[in-house]
Amino acid sequence: MKTMENLLSERILSTPSSFVRSILKTAMDPEIISFAGGLPNPVSFPQEELLKSMDSIVKTFGSTVFQYSITAGIVELRKYIADRYNKKFGLNYTEDNVLITTGSQQALDLISKALLDKNDGVILEKPSYLGAIQVFSQYQPKFYTVDLAENGLNTAQLKDVLKNDIKMMYAIPEFQNPTGLTYSAENREEIFEIIKDKDIVLIEDDPYGELRFTGKHLPYIGAGKFKNSIVLGSFSKVVTPGMRTGFILSENKELLKHISIAKEASDLHTNVFSQYLIWDYLMTNNFESHIAKITELYKKQAHAMLSAMDKYFPKNVKYTRPDGGMFLWVTLPEGVSSLKLFPKALEKKVAFVPGDPFYINKKDVNTMRLNYTNADCETIEEGIKRLGELLAEI
């Protein structure tokens, strides 16, 4: 009789389990203050407005909102997205440049299905989003990592890495997950100059770009000027994550066609009711005002966390100071494993994400990710105080 391991595919055996998902189960203890998840604050969900939109779309569209639909997504929502990005970034999208996905996590999977064969070269930031690492790992590529610094990617390393056979590059230029760092305008331009003549696909993942506390929105690296540019967006952080409504934007319609075929084979189309619901909400409410309320809330929470860290953390512990988004990144003294600290943190009833799953083939690293959006300011201070007490013991 075959063992289960013999029955399973090489692809699934090469896919790491989600460390954050396992942490979230542990952190569900109501006594634990959790900075582990990437959860938007529930007070930001426009529940009353969405309830009105639910009633409206059923009355207006009837059975259409409950029926099968086209793979690309409903035209109304795709047109709204294209128009918004054109206005905000000076791009030239139409609804045909937009594919609605079941969250941006599915977008990463569909792109991988369309592009990656075993041992294809993929460039990642170091550290990078653990969900992307998990998705890409299914397709067994060869990973190449480029260090992420305060102002963006190490461009000397990028030039060196591109000497290899690379098919795809994945980056989060705005409020990067896990670090909270943002690529400078100069760094983005330098990256573009390096890759502009390369035959690769550039994925710019932008789930947090709307959540800017200070400064101005910056242009994308490749959108509008790089032929194989893909931008990923999502309504999870600015409307509601539970509806799992994300999208892919690309001017390369040939590339988008193949990604759409992958989606058709995966799930036919994204939830139609959610698409109509979000579209109606966007059309009947002041979305900019809603975003402003969220960013003001997150600004206060980020400030509360940073102030508490300044107060309670030892001076040999370093951390980033993001201008937006949902996360910040902590660097402990050399030789200190955040993974080994995690059980001790749980004893003090506080949780974080150790840095290990954000790297390729690195263990017992001295970094950790903290999320500040899903706790009030008083809870944040208490949690950071507990964490500071633990760090003072190392």
Side-chain angles (χ1 to χ4, degrees):
M1 178 180 255
K2 289 186 176 182
T3 65
M4 180 55 70
E5 187 165 323
N6 289 330
L7 290 171
L8 293 172
S9 70
E10 187 178 342
R11 173 175 292 137
I12 199 64
L13 289 173
S14 68
T15 306
S17 62
S18 172
F19 193 84
V20 171
R21 291 289 158 189
S22 61
I23 282 178
L24 288 177
K25 292 178 184 177
T26 306
M28 286 182 71
D29 180 342
E31 292 186 6
I32 291 179
I33 297 173
S34 178
F35 302 132
L39 303 177
N41 196 314
V43 303
S44 71
F45 302 158
Q47 297 182 54
E48 292 300 319
E49 293 85 351
L50 288 171
L51 189 59
K52 291 176 184 176
S53 285
M54 285 182 195
D55 184 59
S56 174
I57 62 173
V58 173
K59 288 178 178 177
T60 304
F61 298 101
S63 61
T64 302
V65 303
F66 302 109
Q67 186 56 280
Y68 286 118
S69 186
I70 60 174
T71 299
I74 66 170
V75 173
E76 296 90 341
L77 183 58
R78 288 188 288 129
K79 188 175 187 313
Y80 176 92
I81 292 166
D83 290 345
R84 181 173 175 80
Y85 276 72
N86 292 344
K87 182 179 179 181
K88 188 171 181 180
F89 294 102
L91 299 170
N92 192 33
Y93 293 131
T94 72
E95 61 267 27
D96 293 332
N97 300 114
V98 183
L99 174 66
I100 305 297
T101 60
T102 305
S104 54
Q105 190 73 7
Q106 186 193 45
L108 295 171
D109 185 49
L110 298 176
I111 294 165
S112 300
K113 281 181 179 175
L115 293 178
L116 294 181
D117 291 315
K118 189 173 181 179
N119 293 321
D120 279 343
V122 174
I123 296 175
L124 297 176
E125 302 153 321
K126 180 182 178 182
S128 186
Y129 169 48
L130 56 82
I133 293 172
Q134 186 181 35
V135 170
F136 298 150
S137 293
Q138 289 186 86
Y139 300 91
Q140 300 169 283
K142 187 171 183 180
F143 288 117
Y144 297 88
T145 59
V146 177
D147 286 340
L148 186 62
E150 192 74 26
N151 71 328
L153 284 181
N154 182 317
T155 51
Q157 284 185 17
L158 179 61
K159 288 178 184 177
D160 192 51
V161 162
L162 281 166
K163 294 174 184 175
N164 298 284
D165 187 12
I166 303 297
K167 184 175 279 188
M168 194 167 82
M169 175 176 169
Y170 173 77
I172 312 170
E174 204 89 350
F175 319 129
Q176 196 251 12
N177 182 356
T179 65
L181 295 172
T182 294
Y183 296 20
S184 68
E186 295 76 15
N187 185 253
R188 295 173 195 228
E189 183 60 32
E190 193 174 350
I191 292 169
F192 171 71
E193 290 297 322
I194 292 168
I195 69 168
K196 67 180 182 181
D197 296 320
K198 302 291 185 182
D199 191 20
I200 64 172
V201 172
L202 170 65
I203 304 169
E204 295 183 74
D205 199 355
D206 190 27
Y208 314 106
E210 301 276 13
L211 305 176
R212 176 172 282 279
F213 315 146
T214 58
K216 62 181 180 178
H217 291 283
L218 298 172
Y220 289 113
I221 296 167
K225 53 185 179 179
F226 185 65
K227 64 176 182 176
N228 291 336
S229 166
I230 294 176
V231 171
L232 303 186
S234 173
F235 292 107
S236 291
K237 309 302 186 292
V238 290
V239 182
T240 164
M243 291 184 186
R244 309 303 304 126
T245 308
F247 48 91
I248 297 171
L249 291 151
S250 180
E251 291 186 23
N252 189 330
K253 292 182 181 179
E254 178 70 14
L255 176 57
L256 207 57
K257 181 186 82 171
H258 291 289
I259 297 170
S260 183
I261 291 170
K263 179 166 177 62
E264 184 180 341
S266 292
D267 67 353
L268 300 183
H269 59 74
T270 295
N271 184 296
V272 176
F273 191 88
S274 292
Q275 291 184 63
Y276 273 104
L277 179 55
I278 286 178
W279 171 76
D280 187 86
Y281 165 77
L282 294 169
M283 297 301 291
T284 56
N285 292 276
N286 188 331
F287 189 40
E288 301 302 332
S289 175
H290 175 68
I291 291 172
K293 289 178 183 176
I294 297 174
T295 53
E296 185 60 31
L297 172 65
Y298 291 175
K299 181 179 181 179
K300 290 178 181 176
Q301 291 171 299
H303 179 73
M305 180 167 282
L306 287 166
S307 296
M309 292 165 80
D310 292 342
K311 183 177 179 181
Y312 297 114
F313 276 20
K315 298 304 178 188
N316 61 351
V317 174
K318 309 301 180 185
Y319 36 91
T320 58
R321 293 181 177 271
D323 293 325
M326 300 172 62
F327 306 104
L328 56 80
W329 189 240
V330 179
T331 302
L332 306 174
E334 285 293 329
V336 177
S337 166
S338 62
L339 188 62
K340 290 176 180 175
L341 278 181
F342 183 71
K344 299 177 182 178
L346 288 183
E347 291 175 8
K348 289 185 176 289
K349 302 296 184 183
V350 62
F352 56 83
V353 183
D356 291 39
F358 300 101
Y359 296 93
I360 303 295
N361 299 324
K362 286 190 73 174
K363 295 186 181 299
D364 291 321
V365 298
N366 65 325
T367 51
M368 65 172 75
R369 188 191 76 178
L370 300 181
N371 165 257
Y372 46 77
T373 60
N374 195 40
D376 60 50
C377 294
E378 292 76 16
T379 304
I380 287 172
E381 171 146 11
E382 176 59 29
I384 293 298
K385 182 180 179 183
R386 296 178 191 179
L387 198 51
E389 290 170 352
L390 174 63
L391 297 178
E393 296 170 4
I394 61 178

